[in-house]
Amino acid sequence: MIRLLIADDHPVVRAGLRAVLESEPDFAIVAEAATAERAVELAAEAGVDVVLMDLQFGPGSAMNGAQATAAITARAGAPRVLVVTTYDTDADTLPALEAGATGYLLKDAPPEELAQAVRAAAAGRSALAPSVADRLLERMRTPAAALSARETEVLGLVADGLTNQQVSQRLHLSQATVKSHLVHIYTKLGVDSRTAAVREARERGLIRRA
């Protein structure tokens, strides 16, 4: 049996995932978590093989899904983490995969695709939503034009309306470093302003649309 932990702050989503997964004869739901912190705790103590991890949790959770993924996968013998979320921009996928997620799936995936992804994760194989896989492949084909995880993070904060000073404070960077990141972003996206960079990044699916 593949033992599963469902981590999502929405009870309806957890119930839906449970209903789909419990129909598979080789799956057993051993725990559920409504916060990222609780997911980290249960992953360490509940005999879990795969954690189905959302990325965004409500105000009751100080951690996000990527941070919880990093905490879970940092332990020896840790369960695999399969991200199941509604977000597929680079700003979401890169931190999760860098944190150690084995797979990344969208919540609108067909039940059979979800089951296949869980089995792949349990076996240590990657399972990626097609849109995520396509963009990762494009990053590999044109690495010079791809935004780094840090550049994506900086641009995401700029899109939220933060000034360079606020970005530097949020990310614990100097303002000169923030400006340097923006220069590289402008060059890679072929733009010459913050507004144009945000618009272009949203059109390419690098950051979330407003």
Side-chain angles (χ1 to χ4, degrees), residues 139-162:
R139 289 179 65 86
M140 293 175 62
R141 288 172 174 163
T142 57
L147 298 186
S148 68
R150 177 62 88 184
E151 289 166 350
T152 302
E153 190 175 20
V154 168
L155 189 55
L157 293 176
V158 169
D160 289 339
L162 274 65

Side-chain angles (χ1 to χ4, degrees), residues 23-210:
S23 67
E24 300 293 330
D26 54 336
F27 294 167
I29 313 297
V30 298
E32 293 184 13
T35 67
E37 289 84 353
R38 185 58 177 154
V40 174
E41 294 173 359
L42 289 171
E45 64 189 33
V48 177
D49 297 311
V50 177
V51 179
L52 283 79
M53 178 72 71
D54 193 12
L55 281 186
Q56 299 298 324
F57 289 81
S61 182
M63 303 175 73
N64 60 35
Q67 292 167 331
T69 296
I72 290 171
T73 58
R75 293 187 303 104
R80 307 291 184 177
V81 176
L82 172 64
V83 172
V84 182
T85 185
T86 57
Y87 306 111
D88 69 342
T89 68
D90 281 8
D92 301 299
T93 59
L94 294 179
L97 294 174
E98 290 182 349
T102 301
Y104 196 107
L105 210 62
L106 301 182
K107 287 181 178 177
D108 61 359
E112 59 272 17
E113 186 176 332
L114 175 61
Q116 290 172 359
V118 169
R119 293 189 182 99
R125 302 193 307 272
S126 62
L128 299 174
S131 61
V132 174
D134 288 346
R135 258 204 321 279
L136 289 177
L137 184 59
E138 184 61 27
R139 289 179 65 86
M140 293 175 62
R141 288 172 174 163
T142 57
L147 298 186
S148 68
R150 177 62 88 184
E151 289 166 350
T152 302
E153 190 175 20
V154 168
L155 189 55
L157 293 176
V158 169
D160 289 339
L162 274 65
T163 64
N164 285 7
Q165 181 178 5
Q166 290 169 326
V167 172
S168 71
Q169 293 171 343
R170 179 75 64 86
L171 299 181
H172 306 291
L173 302 172
S174 69
Q175 290 193 55
T177 299
V178 173
K179 290 179 181 178
S180 177
H181 282 314
L182 287 173
V183 169
H184 292 152
I185 290 167
Y186 295 168
T187 300
K188 290 178 178 180
L189 297 182
V191 299
D192 57 7
S193 71
R194 297 162 69 94
T195 302
V198 169
R199 182 174 61 249
E200 182 68 19
R202 284 176 171 159
E203 289 178 355
R204 295 190 191 186
L206 305 180
I207 60 176
R208 294 180 199 165
R209 293 183 179 274

